Amino acid sequence: MSDTVSRRSALRLMSGAIAVAAAATGALTPPAHALARPEAGAGPRVEGLLAKLTLDEKISLLHGATDPASLGQAGYVPGVRRLGIPPLRLTDGPAGVRVTRHATALPAPVLLASAFDPSLARRYGRVVGREGRALGQDVLLSPMVNLIRTPYAGRNFETFSEDPLLASDLVAAEIKGIQGEHLIATVKHFAMNNQEQDRMSIDVRVDEQTLHELELRGFEAAIDAGAGAVMGAYNKVNGTFSCENKTLLTDILRDRWGFDGWVMTDWFAAHSTVTAITAGLDMEMPDGTYFGTALKTAVQNGSVPERLVDRSVRRVLAVMDRFGLLDGSVPPRPDRDAKAGAAVALEVAKAGATLLRNENRTLPLTPGGTVAVIGPTGSLPFVSGGGSAHVVPDHADSPLDAIKSRAGKVTYALGEDLFGKAIPAAALTPVFDSEAQKVGLGKVWTYDGTLTVTASDEWTFVLHFSSAPTARPEVLLDGTELFPQAAGYGEYFQGGLVSAAPDGLSVRRRTLTLAKGAHTLRITARGGADGLLFRLRRSTGATRAQDVAEAVSAARHARDVVLFAYEDATEGLDRTTLALPGHQRQLIEAVTKANPRTTVVLNTSSSTSMPWLTSTGAVLQMYYPGQEGAVATAAVLYGECDPGGRLTQSFPVDDAHHPVAGDPRRYPGVNGTEEYSEGIHAGYRWYDAQGERPLFPFGHGLSYTSFSYGDLRVRRAGRGLRVSFTVHNTGRRDGIALPQVYVGPSPHLELDQAIKVLAGYRRVALRAGERRRVEVDIAARTLSSWDPKRHDWVLGTGRRTVWAGASSRDLRLRTSVEVGK
């Protein structure tokens, strides 16, 4: 371990004298002495093994293969048995270990981040680290630290924040937690993977200053924390795919930051053999299309020197050696501690719960009162998003049950139907059992009939089926396939909630307007090797009206209403709007009109527009709260704990007012190219620069008590600053304060600067009436800007404004201080 640390330190010292490009591939050639630097030795054990490996064995360590004893994890590298090199199993795990066995389903990382608590992030990482090893895994494909740039990005729930400082603090802490349990962490996706749309091909054009000041800060913090592996992104950066981008993989990652672990591709993100390994890629996943036979051929014909293969193998083995996998010194695999995992999951969900609105003391609710619970996710637990974040939880209770244990009388109304209602038999000619149609093994079942619609209406057809996504029934209405196969891997990225019925059947939907009259309906279902069960249901304007009417009735007869609203995000797909999906707006408007003491609980992935906001009593943001989400939500609703979260991203008013709105070149890109033309003004910085008011600002979150701030003082501390002030709980309840410190621009830098940036924060628990002095250190890096002419950080000297307050738009204290060299 000490050899690794000293080697990293030496590389950092060396890199201080090396100016490298960070904007476009090949924009600046490093000095000759940097290019000539030999690859550092990895210690006698690794070098000894490397000398004994055949070329075939070396190459087998550089690409994925099929696991003969898979637990359903994402990847596998076979190892070399004759030399005692064990295999590596690689698992997804942004919110828990994603295998086919049970694991703790933690809250989404964005909910963790809302706690603004690196120590909690470290405990979160320890849970995943222990469980990963307990479940037979060696490498965790997490954490994700790409910034939240667009509110539409489908994986915003898997990452932390729009702010680079907060993201850096949390990713470093989580990695220390993961690797403290002897599981190798993989920071991803390097770099600029800030959207899912066209992620396999989009070319991100970004200037050098923006690259370093925003996106790369989190990755650098991860490397500084000792991350064993880095995952390259799908997208291009300034014209070159990330997984063959020398500027990223060598000039920055290796030469500037001193990274000595290995770089793997995202799954199927490789595009070449010679270019990729020369640029600094070490491992192709999940197979060997480019780093298997093609790599061996390239070595044999001389297009790839074998030393480059050795370099990559050395990097992989060095990390394995560092974690005790080569000499057997890694501790024995522990058992899962499900109880401890659940305790952390509950703590995170409570700590990240963010109260956005609370009028007329709507919250907390009074125990024993009458409550109407409304919405599908009120009775159906919403644990996690889809894609890589999906976890098989130990359990997941429903919010309805958690509220019943605290309320006096509880009524429930569906409000918004996710899974459809049976098609009336009278509408089908001939009649068939559309609720439970079974097809035997190897059999083919067909239906050729008529669906009769009594009035023109919007229909949502909902297909439930037991087979694999690619073997679902074919349903044609008037000759048009209702549920066509999605392209590529789209079939496997359909969401974490709406893609599965409560009984486990897979679900697909199609909405269209049907005219009154007869429509041809043809269905072909194949039983295949396992048989098939399917249901065909529908929701219509008439059924929706009835659902809303029942919800309104329940709301009128209760003192308080808790309405659960949802938005289901997944890897592979971006959102198309900030509005809640389906007809939830109409539901909220109808219910709040009937009972203004309505709390809307949001189980959403990211920011949401709220045209219904002013009609509500309260809004509680819970994101995807994990397996303990029901208990945590109820605890916050009833005031058993203070809502301790704050927004890690700005919430726009609507789809027309946010940093990438109205300019397709910024998002989603034009002709395969996307321009980060907002520069360093991302997130709240854009709102400040444009004078635009967000719906809710970065850092916003309410408490059940109140706080005052006073006596702001700032002094120099080395090249940074030390800020101190007093926080006073002025209310009658204990609560969580989350004071934030921001710093203004330097008058001496002729570089683009934000009006203010987050410089530090503290999470403080205060008893009613308690007053405490809080200190926040501002690092020199936060006071610095990236100078593209020097290709380095420069300290922003001169008199600079310092603010302290409750959010980026609620800054209650202000002073200035001279920053010197």
Side-chain angles (χ1 to χ4, degrees), residues 53-121:
L53 287 166
T54 67
L55 178 60
D56 285 337
E57 289 170 336
K58 293 175 186 177
I59 290 174
S60 73
L61 295 172
L62 302 184
H63 65 82
T66 300
D67 187 349
S70 175
L71 287 175
Q73 81 276 1
Y76 174 77
V77 177
V80 180
R81 179 176 294 183
R82 76 175 183 90
L83 295 177
I85 299 173
L88 291 174
R89 288 182 168 86
L90 302 86
T91 180
D92 289 316
V97 181
R98 190 177 76 92
V99 293
T100 53
R101 294 184 182 177
H102 289 281
T104 300
L106 291 158
V110 71
L111 183 56
L112 166 68
S114 300
F116 280 70
D117 187 351
S119 66
L120 185 59

Side-chain angles (χ1 to χ4, degrees), residues 427-430 432 447-457 459 461 475-480 482 512-523:
L428 297 169
T429 306
F432 78 97
Y447 175 83
D448 192 346
T450 301
L451 172 69
T452 301
V453 177
T454 57
S456 297
D457 200 352
W459 279 55
F461 288 92
V475 182
L476 282 78
L477 186 73
D478 295 331
T480 299
L482 290 182
L512 64 164
T513 299
L514 294 187
K516 178 181 177 180
H519 300 264
T520 61
L521 178 64
R522 292 187 174 91
I523 304 173

Side-chain angles (χ1 to χ4, degrees), residues 575 577-580 607-612 651-655 695:
R575 301 160 69 190
T577 177
L578 299 181
L580 292 171
S607 55
T608 303
S609 60
M610 305 180 198
W612 37 263
F651 273 37
V653 171
D654 54 34
D655 288 294
L695 180 64

Side-chain angles (χ1 to χ4, degrees), residues 527-734:
D530 301 310
L532 171 68
L533 169 68
F534 77 89
R535 296 187 286 260
L536 184 62
R537 293 180 170 179
R538 97 297 185 213
S539 294
T540 67
T543 67
R544 283 190 292 273
Q546 181 60 36
D547 289 336
V548 171
E550 291 173 1
V552 167
S553 177
R556 284 177 177 154
H557 291 90
R559 180 178 187 273
D560 296 288
V561 178
V562 182
L563 192 158
F564 287 83
Y566 74 91
E567 174 262 318
D568 192 16
T570 181
E571 176 183 358
L573 293 174
D574 279 352
R575 301 160 69 190
T576 58
T577 177
L578 299 181
L580 292 171
H583 297 79
Q584 293 181 93
R585 174 179 177 175
Q586 294 91 321
L587 172 65
I588 294 172
E589 289 173 344
V591 169
T592 53
K593 184 177 181 180
N595 188 336
R597 289 187 59 80
T598 296
T599 296
V600 176
V601 177
L602 292 169
N603 291 132
T604 55
S605 68
S606 188
S607 55
T608 303
S609 60
M610 305 180 198
W612 37 263
L613 178 66
T614 56
S615 66
T616 64
V619 177
L620 177 63
Q621 177 63 255
M622 291 299 299
Y623 297 105
Y624 302 153
Q627 68 180 45
E628 307 300 323
V631 176
T633 301
V636 174
L637 290 173
Y638 280 91
E640 296 164 16
C641 63
D642 203 38
R646 304 295 185 267
L647 292 182
T648 70
Q649 57 193 302
S650 307
F651 273 37
V653 171
D654 54 34
D655 288 294
H657 298 86
H658 56 77
V660 299
D663 187 348
R665 293 171 299 178
R666 286 188 182 180
Y667 176 85
V670 176
N671 296 325
T673 298
E674 184 176 45
E675 300 173 3
Y676 281 37
S677 55
E678 72 275 18
I680 64 164
H681 303 287
Y684 63 88
R685 305 175 184 204
W686 179 86
Y687 288 93
D688 288 348
Q690 298 297 316
E692 189 77 50
R693 187 173 184 84
L695 180 64
F696 293 111
F698 174 90
H700 172 73
L702 304 177
S703 167
Y704 290 148
T705 186
S706 55
F707 302 97
S708 67
Y709 297 74
D711 193 19
L712 176 64
R713 301 179 187 179
V714 184
R715 63 180 176 86
R716 291 172 62 175
R719 299 185 74 216
L721 300 172
R722 175 157 294 173
V723 181
S724 64
F725 49 91
T726 299
V727 182
H728 180 202
N729 183 343
T730 57
R732 297 180 180 180
R733 298 175 60 104
D734 298 351

Side-chain angles (χ1 to χ4, degrees), residues 754-799:
I755 291 174
K756 63 177 179 289
V757 299
L758 181 69
Y761 51 88
R762 283 289 179 271
R763 184 180 178 86
V764 184
L766 294 175
R767 296 185 300 275
E770 184 180 1
R771 188 188 310 264
R772 189 178 304 173
R773 193 76 184 164
V774 174
E775 285 192 345
V776 175
D777 288 334
I778 302 178
R781 172 62 65 83
T782 302
L783 298 170
S784 301
S785 295
W786 182 269
D787 187 341
K789 293 181 179 178
R790 300 184 185 185
H791 308 295
D792 209 347
W793 294 95
V794 291
L795 184 66
T797 56
R799 184 150 292 274

Side-chain angles (χ1 to χ4, degrees), residues 218-273:
F219 287 99
E220 184 178 6
I223 302 310
D224 220 21
V230 169
M231 180 186 290
Y234 288 116
N235 52 278
K236 297 176 183 176
V237 177
N238 294 318
T240 303
F241 280 110
S242 295
C243 289
E244 54 187 42
N245 192 313
K246 180 178 177 295
T247 297
L248 291 175
L249 303 186
T250 296
D251 298 346
I252 295 174
L253 187 61
R254 303 286 181 184
D255 293 338
R256 181 166 191 90
W257 295 346
F259 177 60
D260 54 4
W262 88 83
V263 178
M264 70 182 79
T265 66
D266 204 336
W267 269 225
F268 303 103
H271 292 272
S272 65
T273 301

Side-chain angles (χ1 to χ4, degrees), residues 380-400:
L380 183 66
F382 198 162
V383 176
S384 66
S388 300
H390 178 71
V391 177
V392 181
D394 287 309
H395 65 267
D397 299 330
S398 77
L400 177 61

